[in-house]
Each structure stands twice: as structure tokens, then as C-alpha cells.
Amino acid sequence: MTTTGIRLHAPAPGWSIAADVVVVGSGVAGLTAALRCEAAGLRTVVVTKARLDDGSTRWAQGGIAAALGEGDTPEQHLDDTLVAGAGVCDEEAVRLLVTEGPDAVRRLIETGARFDASSEGELELTREGGHHRRRIAHAGGDATGAEISRALVDAVRARGMRTVENALVLDLLTDAEGRTAGVTLHVMGEGQHDGVGAVHAPAVVLATGGMGQVFSATTNPSVSTGDGVALALRAGAEVSDLEFVQFHPTVLFLGPDAEGQQPLVSEAVRGEGAHLIDAGGVRFMAGQHELAELAPRDIVAKGITRRMQEQDAEHMYLDARHFGAEMWEHRFPTILAACRAHGIDPVTSPIPVAPAAHYASGGVRTDSHGRTTVPGLYACGEVACTGVHGANRLASNSLLEGLVYAERIAADIAANGLHARVPQPVPHPETPEHPLQTPEARFTIQRIMTAGAGVLRSAGSLTKAADQLQRLHTDAREALAENGKTAEAGVDTWEATNLLCVARVLVAAALLREETRGCHWREDRPERDDSGWRRHIVVTLNPDRTLAVHTTDTTDFPPTTFPPQAPQEQ
């Protein structure tokens, strides 16, 4: 294991906490991992960037997919997932997901999550894009994520688990052998801790969510700035498949200049029978795919984008007027309220929609136990790349992946006795290790990425984006080298620096993959090339801050270099 030696420019930790496990993130993946670790008798600390219930899980509308309905099977769920993943899913990872998924959902219900049920007490299941059966369990109509978050947060608080809220994770701490020794973090605002500190632990679970804020328009909350991926890269971990960013087809269109988090119009609306139409009322997805509006998300996003190009339009429409007021109010109250808040009544008018950045199918590469290539560092949820999603995530598989792989991580930590090792982190560097971007760079990065690496990509657009991102990177490095100056350390500059890091990796991978596959759409390479590209792209960060990029030989991930370490005698 070789570490990069790169850390963000930040003050030395002024306080510390000791634990067996630190979980970074409080969505479905993070809190599930924390609860399972705590149940195994491990001293567990949860660190989260905002409040416990403020992550991406809370915004999930549609539901959680699992073979829970009559006549459905894990094998059918596997088939739908593999088709959506466009040939680059790790089949064994998917098999674990769909096989262990139903019981994981039942355990979530036992934890306290209340899903919508019929009068007979049976789960109400719906369909979404890419699913051939009704297998999406939902809560509160279209508030599934909020209900799951509520149940898990309540469970964490009921057990008195130690949590550190409003804390931005900075870097991984490692010992002299390169093994995990905890994290540094910055706590924002008042509380038991303030400023930069550390949690010392031999096992770290990254569950930091996505990186949607790398684009101008996204469904992700403002905290989704790729912090976990950037931390892992600086720690020497491998990142894979970052070019596969899913753009949700139906996001409420708020105007061409709208930036930041945009309201999602769940795929479940189409699952219940809504139609995509253009300004003339034509259903343009009919005939493009056997599932029409319920085709996998990449196909629907491309269909909308093509129609927008053909008609020189800024958006298309989602028509669900035939639902009527009662169905809208009962089944989709959250979406109904969001639309009306922006002056649109879906009961009487079609909803203007356009694709926006939604989900990162790639991330920190892990094995089937959530282990990364850094000993003691685990990852689950959107920050991870388990191989489940391939080139395009199947709708509502994300919450399930968070559940299943979080449970596997907790079991692995407990079984391998990592907590018996007392971490001895190497000293904090005295000089700045990594130049920081200015707060304004965030918006520059977002505009570069939207223009060059959005739904439509080409060698020309990606090369231009790579050059512009490199200039930001080089300017900051040169300023540090010439006069020792860098942007002032703080949340805005750390986030901007993380965004630049993940943007560079995404563009490098997208430029290398010279084909169209899943949600990676190259205008100049419109065909899928299985002979050359049915494989993964893996990226690491070199000590000189350049990127090392290579491809795997097959769709199967090679083993991580994480042999469980036997506890050392102290």
C-alpha cells in the first residue's frame, strides 16, 4: 500500500475522539453501518456534514427496490439490473444485492421504517424505469427517503450513539504502514467540538454520498461535493467508473439559468402512467424502447435531450393530468407541493422537465465486503463503486445498495477484529500539502462541467473541460510554489478543492472511454464497443498530484489489496 502523502491545507487537529469505527455520513448507508457496528459491540462515532437527517437519502422519492412481491424473484431483479448497467456490472456484486436485499428491507422495517401498505397489510409496490415488475416499496407516497432517514435517525438517537454533526471530513489519517488510523474533520458552529479535530479509529466507513454539485443543475443537496471520493484519492485509494454520472430525466425545469439543487419529479410518476410529451403534445418516447417512458434512465434522458435538440427547446413536458387531484394528493404529495410552489399545477397542466445530474454510479472502488484498496478504509452508498450499477444505475437500487453493503461492512469489521488495533497516526504536516481553490472556483467548475461533461459529451468538449480544469489546478499549485500562498482554509475552499479533484477524474475517465455506454453519451462515438470497452476505468492520484488512469481486463473488479490484518499485540 502506497499513500500519496497529500492532505488538504488545514490547521492541525485541536481535539480528538477515540473509537473503534468512525462512519462518515448519515444517509441510509452510513446509519445502517453505524447501527450494525454498534450492535456488534464496537465503539462507533457518526460524523455528518450537516444534521443527521440532512443527506441525500432524505430527498429520495420513488422508493427501494427488492424482490418482495408475489411472482417476483431475485433472478428477475438481477436481469433488470444487468440490462440497465449496459454490460459492465459486476454480476457477482449484483447477485449479492438482489439476494440479500429482501431480508435487508425487512430488517429496515423492523428498525422502524413504515412503508405504504394495502388495507390487508401487504406492501404497496410500484414500477419504475427498467423494472419489468412492481418491486418498488415506497413510503408517504413519494417521501420514501424521508421516512427511511427518520427511522434510522430515531434508532441512532435511541441507542445514544455518539454523533458529530455539522462536520466536514477533511482527510484520512494513516499509520506508518499506510493503514487507516481515523479522520480529520472540521466542525462548523457551536457544540461540544469546534474547529479542526480528529477521530482516531482503525476502521473508517465512507458513506458521504454523491458529487452532484460538480454540475450547475443537480438533484443533490448542497453538501454533495464529492468529499469522500476526494479524501479517498488523497489517501491513495482507487476510484472507478466516475464517467458514469446518471442524469435524471425528469427534473422540474426552473429556467435556463437555474443553478444548484433542483426539484426531482420521481420516476414513480411515470411508473404510475405519466407520459412524456413535447410542446405539441406528442409522446416522443413511444417506439424508442419497448418500455417507452419506463426505459432505463439513460435512454429516457437521451430521448428527452434529442427531442430538445430537434425542436430547439429548453425542456419537454411530463403529462399526468389524467391522474386527477385525489391521486396526486395521495400518491405524490411532495412533488405536487414542489410544483405548486413554483407556479405549476400538475393536476391541470403538464410539468416542464429536463435532465439534471442525479447519481454517481462510480466512486471509491470496493470489494464485496465494502473494503477499499486502503487497509481499514471502507465505502458504501453513492460514494462507493461496488460494481452493482455498471454504466447506469437501475431506478431505486441505490437505497438497497446502501442497506446491503453497509450490513456487509459491519459484519466484516466485527469478524476481522480491526477494532483490536490501536491506531498510531503519522504526524500532521507542518506545511500546506495541497493548494486550495477559492470559493468562486466552485461556480467556475460547475459551468465547465455542465458545458463539457454533461448529458452530451465529445472529444472536443471533454478536452476543453480538461484544459480548463487543469488551468485551475496549475494556477493554484504555482501560486503555492512561488510565494507559499493558497486560499484561506475554510469550508468553501475545501469544498471547491474537492470538486476540482473529482471533476478532473470524471473528465479524464470520460475522455478515455471512447464509446457511448449507459449514461456516458459520446456524440463523436455514438456506438457501444464491447470488444474494446467492456471493462472499468480505474484512477488513482500520484504523489505529484497527477492522475494515473488504467483499465481493468474484464468487467469483474480485481481483488482489493486489503488483506484483513490480524490484531497486533500491544
Side-chain angles (χ1 to χ4, degrees):
M1 167 66 203
T2 302
T3 61
T4 67
I6 301 171
R7 291 183 182 172
L8 289 173
H9 173 42
W15 52 269
S16 65
I17 301 171
D20 297 325
V21 183
V22 56
V23 177
V24 186
S26 60
V28 62
L31 294 187
T32 299
L35 286 166
R36 298 293 179 268
C37 286
E38 183 83 4
L42 304 175
R43 292 178 302 158
T44 305
V45 174
V46 176
V47 172
T48 188
K49 195 172 179 181
R51 298 189 307 273
L52 276 181
D53 61 352
D54 248 355
S56 292
T57 292
R58 182 164 67 91
W59 298 97
Q61 295 174 344
I64 184 167
L68 296 162
E70 185 177 352
D72 197 5
T73 65
E75 199 68 26
Q76 294 176 64
H77 190 182
L78 179 141
D79 290 343
D80 286 345
T81 300
L82 294 180
V83 169
V88 289
C89 294
D90 183 316
E91 185 169 340
E92 199 49 45
V94 179
R95 194 171 297 281
L96 287 172
L97 177 83
V98 300
T99 303
E100 298 180 10
D103 283 343
V105 173
R106 294 183 185 103
R107 284 189 287 274
L108 179 61
I109 293 171
E110 291 171 1
T111 302
R114 298 187 291 265
F115 290 95
D116 296 336
S118 67
S119 56
E120 292 79 28
E122 297 293 326
L123 283 177
E124 287 184 350
L125 302 175
T126 190
R127 275 183 70 195
E128 291 184 357
H131 293 272
H132 282 79
R133 285 191 174 272
R134 285 182 171 265
R135 65 168 65 98
I136 316 300
H138 49 83
D142 58 357
T144 309
E147 170 58 17
I148 290 173
S149 180
R150 180 207 62 77
L152 292 173
V153 169
D154 285 355
V156 165
R157 288 177 173 156
R159 296 184 188 189
M161 194 176 299
R162 189 163 192 174
T163 61
V164 183
E165 296 181 282
N166 301 307
L168 170 63
V169 68
L170 299 176
D171 280 302
L172 188 75
L173 293 171
T174 54
D175 64 17
E177 286 76 44
R179 298 176 300 179
T180 293
V183 293
T184 56
L185 61 154
H186 173 78
V187 179
M188 301 165 271
E190 296 179 0
Q192 183 178 357
H193 303 287
D194 198 8
V196 175
V199 180
H200 295 152
V204 171
V205 181
L206 291 180
T208 52
M211 56 182 197
Q213 290 290 326
V214 79
F215 294 96
S216 295
T218 177
T219 63
N220 289 192
S222 61
V223 295
S224 298
T225 51
D227 307 320
V229 172
L231 174 151
L233 282 163
R234 289 191 295 270
E238 293 182 356
V239 168
S240 185
D241 298 353
L242 226 58
E243 70 273 26
F244 296 127
V245 175
Q246 188 176 79
F247 287 78
H248 198 288
T250 53
V251 175
L252 185 62
F253 181 75
L254 300 180
D257 298 323
E259 294 183 330
Q261 186 178 11
Q262 314 287 301
L264 175 67
V265 181
S266 170
E267 196 152 319
V269 178
R270 282 175 280 138
E272 297 291 351
H275 303 139
L276 283 165
I277 60 174
D278 60 20
V282 177
R283 280 186 66 189
F284 56 88
M285 284 304 297
Q288 290 198 35
H289 189 276
E290 61 167 336
L291 296 176
E293 284 92 354
L294 284 177
R297 287 179 176 174
D298 63 307
I299 293 171
V300 180
K302 292 171 188 175
I304 292 173
T305 303
R306 283 196 187 100
R307 197 68 162 190
M308 288 164 56
Q309 289 179 324
E310 291 168 1
Q311 300 187 348
D312 194 25
E314 294 178 325
H315 61 82
M316 290 288 110
Y317 294 92
L318 186 64
D319 189 1
R321 289 174 289 181
H322 55 286
F323 284 6
E326 183 177 351
M327 181 173 175
W328 267 110
E329 291 165 2
H330 170 73
R331 181 68 179 84
F332 301 111
T334 307
I335 298 170
L336 178 64
C339 288
R340 285 177 170 170
H342 291 282
I344 300 152
D345 189 347
V347 177
T348 58
S349 303
I351 306 168
V353 293
H358 182 56
Y359 190 89
S361 292
V364 184
R365 186 172 83 77
T366 75
D367 66 7
S368 62
H369 298 281
R371 299 183 294 221
T372 74
T373 52
V374 176
L377 178 65
Y378 295 77
C380 57
E382 191 173 355
V383 70
C385 183
T386 62
V388 159
H389 303 307
N392 183 46
R393 175 179 66 96
L394 181 65
S396 289
N397 267 358
S398 50
L399 293 175
L400 189 71
E401 184 197 30
L403 272 181
V404 169
Y405 280 86
E407 290 188 343
R408 294 183 70 82
I409 285 172
D412 192 76
I413 294 173
N416 287 308
L418 290 179
H419 58 286
R421 179 171 60 86
V422 177
Q424 300 294 330
V426 296
H428 190 84
E430 296 181 0
T431 57
E433 289 289 322
H434 197 62
L436 300 179
Q437 295 293 312
T438 65
E440 296 75 24
R442 177 178 184 138
F443 304 103
T444 303
I445 294 163
Q446 289 173 336
R447 294 182 183 116
I448 290 170
M449 294 297 289
T450 299
V455 178
L456 295 177
R457 303 167 178 178
S458 67
S461 74
L462 290 165
T463 298
K464 182 178 180 181
D467 291 345
Q468 291 172 321
L469 295 172
Q470 184 60 37
R471 175 45 54 191
L472 288 173
H473 178 71
T474 301
D475 286 350
R477 284 192 63 184
E478 290 178 348
L480 182 62
E482 290 174 5
N483 52 34
K485 290 185 178 180
T486 187
E488 184 177 352
V491 174
D492 290 345
T493 56
W494 289 321
E495 286 185 333
T497 304
N498 286 338
L499 283 172
L500 179 59
C501 179
V502 297
R504 291 175 63 216
V505 175
L506 193 162
V507 169
L511 196 52
L512 179 61
R513 185 175 287 279
E514 295 183 331
E515 63 160 356
T516 288
R517 182 184 297 273
C519 52
H520 172 64
W521 188 8
R522 286 279 296 260
E523 291 181 282
D524 54 332
R525 301 281 183 169
E527 303 302 322
R528 174 170 147 177
D529 177 10
D530 280 350
S531 62
W533 286 106
R534 199 172 174 205
R535 59 193 66 195
H536 304 280
I537 295 175
V538 178
V539 182
T540 54
L541 188 64
N542 293 320
D544 64 357
R545 303 176 184 85
T546 58
L547 302 178
V549 185
H550 73 273
T551 60
T552 60
D553 295 328
T554 69
T555 55
D556 296 329
F557 277 142
T560 60
T561 56
F562 180 115
Q565 302 272 341
Q568 299 295 311
E569 294 291 332
Q570 298 301 319

